[in-house]
Amino acid sequence: MWRGLLTTINLTQITEHISVRQLTTASRLLHSQSYKSSFFVDFTRKQRRYMSSEPKRPCTDNMTVKKIGTHNGTFHCDEVLACFFLRQLPEYKDAEIIRTRDPAELAECDIVVDVGGEFDPKRHRYDHHQRTFVESFHSLCPDKPWVTKLSSAGLVYLHFGRQLLAQLTQLEESDKLLDVLFGKLYENFVEEVDAVDNGISQCDGEARYSITTTLSARVAHLNPCWNSKSQDTEEGFRKAMKMVGDEFLDRLDFYQTSWLPARAVVEEALKGRHQVDPSGEVVLFSQGGCPWKEHLFALEKELQVEKPIKFVLYADQNGKWRVQCVPAGLNTFQNRLSLLEKWCGVRDEALSELSGIKGCIFVHAGGFIGGNQTQEGALEMARRTLQAAAQSPTNGSS
């Protein structure tokens, strides 16, 4: 009895504290089997709207419906993601997606992605298949580092991504944090789609094993099998757009509600490092359990930290204190400066007696982390190591 009913749920007052992930969860519930996709949910938070990936109904009044053009036939992750991005924008939220390769039909579209053989932002043409196309994020935005050739997903994200994120997060486009999110989501979500669609290998040489569960691979599996009786791709395209949309929103929610707050903790610690120790080489985190390494390396460059940080201090889940060495890089076990070698593998009273520092709990055999009963004790372990390194430069990283 509900088929064909368009239900709009306006949550203007009660969604002030609802995250992107909560909105996504509600959307998934209403798109479950029992609803048979009969409802369109419009969550409103001030000016924010989560735009559905479902097909749009024909317009019955005098409004002109925008048209997004892309190719028909087998679909790929890049144009699916590009269409999802566009559908989140107020200008295209009710747009009809025209899947065709007919130039006459494409010419009538307001925006065309992944087909047509043109890249012309002024005319909203975003194809990357033409022989002359060699653009990357870096070539179009020289202040950005990514040199992977863009697909239609990357092109749409580059030109509309800030507007997209402002719509979904309620941050201003000029907000520094929005620019941080903009870069992070390209690097950790969209760039992979660009690379896969353009046939760019992740590494040189033959891979040791196959990865078959990427977002692009899962989108590809929604196409009809080669020997299926029906080769209709419309239903699969809609499923793919919902899938990539849910995953993008989930990733955005994580970065906004978890990753960015961790960055703030690290930034605060870096700015206050000289109050922890005059050397400026020890930082104290106000919250334990905070993922810090990626943020520390990025913020050292951004804040132009003169001396690389050697140690971080934080409380563990039991209220004890840890002193952890900063690694030489994100993907190495080498430390900028390890705790004193003679402490490694020693515990409790034996370690306190050996070091002359009260309350010692342990130093790992690898020298990359140690524990103490108190913040002062953990700090003293870092200080003694720094002092020893200053007297004997050969006691550097290991």
Side-chain angles (χ1 to χ4, degrees):
M1 65 181 289
W2 297 102
R3 187 170 302 277
L5 178 62
L6 178 66
T7 300
T8 300
I9 301 175
N10 191 316
L11 302 178
T12 304
Q13 299 298 321
I14 66 174
T15 55
E16 288 299 316
H17 303 289
I18 292 181
S19 69
V20 173
R21 181 173 296 159
Q22 290 170 307
L23 295 181
T24 304
T25 301
S27 178
R28 287 171 180 161
L29 175 61
L30 289 175
H31 284 87
S32 65
Q33 183 65 22
S34 62
Y35 285 86
K36 299 292 185 181
S37 298
S38 297
F39 288 80
F40 169 70
V41 183
D42 173 15
F43 296 100
T44 304
R45 176 184 172 187
K46 297 181 182 178
Q47 298 296 319
R48 169 161 135 186
R49 290 165 60 88
Y50 170 71
M51 314 306 179
S52 172
S53 299
E54 293 298 306
K56 300 300 175 183
R57 298 178 181 276
C59 185
T60 57
D61 56 25
N62 293 325
M63 280 182 59
T64 301
V65 177
K66 294 277 189 181
K67 294 181 179 180
I68 301 170
T70 191
H71 63 81
N72 57 1
T74 300
F75 52 83
H76 312 97
C77 192
D78 69 316
E79 80 267 13
V80 171
L81 185 57
C83 289
F84 170 80
F85 285 158
L86 292 171
R87 275 276 187 85
Q88 307 315 297
L89 302 175
E91 184 178 0
Y92 296 104
K93 68 182 180 65
D94 295 314
E96 182 182 1
I97 296 177
I98 306 297
R99 299 184 66 226
T100 181
R101 294 184 184 274
D102 184 340
E105 290 188 68
L106 292 173
E108 296 179 358
C109 293
D110 298 276
I111 186 167
V112 177
V113 300
D114 209 44
V115 70
E118 293 181 88
F119 170 51
D120 185 356
K122 292 180 180 178
R123 295 176 51 246
H124 288 323
R125 273 19 187 191
Y126 300 99
D127 196 11
H128 66 110
H129 295 99
Q130 54 274 28
R131 187 180 182 88
T132 56
F133 185 89
V134 293
E135 304 294 356
S136 67
F137 229 103
H138 180 70
S139 69
L140 296 176
C141 298
D143 61 318
K144 300 301 183 184
W146 308 291
V147 296
T148 299
K149 182 181 176 182
L150 296 167
S151 69
S152 61
L155 282 171
V156 169
Y157 186 77
L158 186 150
H159 288 90
F160 296 93
R162 287 185 175 84
Q163 183 184 352
L164 167 76
L165 295 179
Q167 176 74 21
L168 294 173
T169 65
Q170 290 297 283
L171 294 171
E172 297 293 332
E173 286 190 48
S174 58
D175 194 316
K176 178 183 175 182
L177 291 181
L178 188 135
D179 191 62
V180 172
L181 284 174
F182 178 70
K184 186 64 176 176
L185 281 158
Y186 181 73
E187 187 172 56
N188 281 31
F189 197 94
V190 183
E191 185 179 22
E192 170 191 327
V193 177
D194 285 344
V196 170
D197 196 77
N198 283 304
I200 300 171
S201 298
Q202 192 174 13
C203 58
D204 295 328
E206 188 174 350
R208 294 178 183 270
Y209 54 89
S210 297
I211 298 176
T212 61
T213 57
T214 64
L215 184 61
S216 295
R218 285 179 284 122
V219 166
H221 280 299
L222 292 175
N223 280 283
C225 294
W226 69 273
N227 55 352
S228 296
K229 290 183 178 180
S230 172
Q231 290 296 309
D232 179 40
T233 58
E234 292 303 315
E235 181 181 0
F237 185 90
R238 291 193 292 270
K239 287 180 179 179
M241 200 155 75
K242 185 179 186 309
M243 181 176 73
V244 300
D246 285 348
E247 293 203 20
F248 180 82
L249 292 174
D250 186 71
R251 188 72 62 88
L252 170 59
D253 182 76
F254 168 76
Y255 287 138
Q256 186 178 10
T257 62
S258 178
W259 185 81
L260 274 183
R263 187 179 193 272
V265 169
V266 177
E267 184 171 5
E268 178 186 32
L270 276 171
K271 290 178 177 178
R273 65 190 183 280
H274 291 289
Q275 281 137 20
V276 176
D277 187 75
S279 70
E281 297 178 85
V282 183
V283 297
L284 172 66
F285 293 143
S286 59
Q287 295 175 254
C290 168
W292 55 268
K293 293 177 185 177
E294 177 187 4
H295 295 303
L296 182 70
F297 293 128
L299 286 165
E300 279 183 329
K301 294 179 181 178
E302 186 177 317
L303 300 175
Q304 298 181 336
V305 173
E306 64 282 359
K307 286 185 179 180
I309 305 302
K310 304 300 192 305
F311 298 103
V312 301
L313 307 179
Y314 56 88
D316 65 19
Q317 293 179 333
N318 298 315
K320 311 303 182 184
W321 282 82
R322 297 292 180 95
V323 51
Q324 186 169 347
C325 307
V326 176
L330 272 178
N331 302 307
T332 179
F333 291 108
Q334 185 180 19
N335 301 316
R336 288 177 173 175
L337 179 63
S338 296
L339 291 166
L340 291 179
E341 194 277 332
K342 64 182 178 180
W343 297 349
C344 294
V346 185
R347 301 185 61 87
D348 303 322
E349 287 300 323
L351 179 57
S352 291
E353 185 175 344
L354 176 64
S355 64
I357 302 170
K358 293 181 179 180
C360 288
I361 299 174
F362 78 100
V363 169
H364 191 277
F368 76 95
I369 193 170
N372 196 283
Q373 297 286 345
T374 67
Q375 176 185 321
E376 293 76 14
L379 176 58
E380 189 60 27
M381 293 170 77
R383 283 175 171 166
R384 296 281 182 91
T385 304
L386 288 170
Q387 291 166 3
Q391 294 169 2
S392 177
T394 57
N395 184 54
S397 62
S398 62

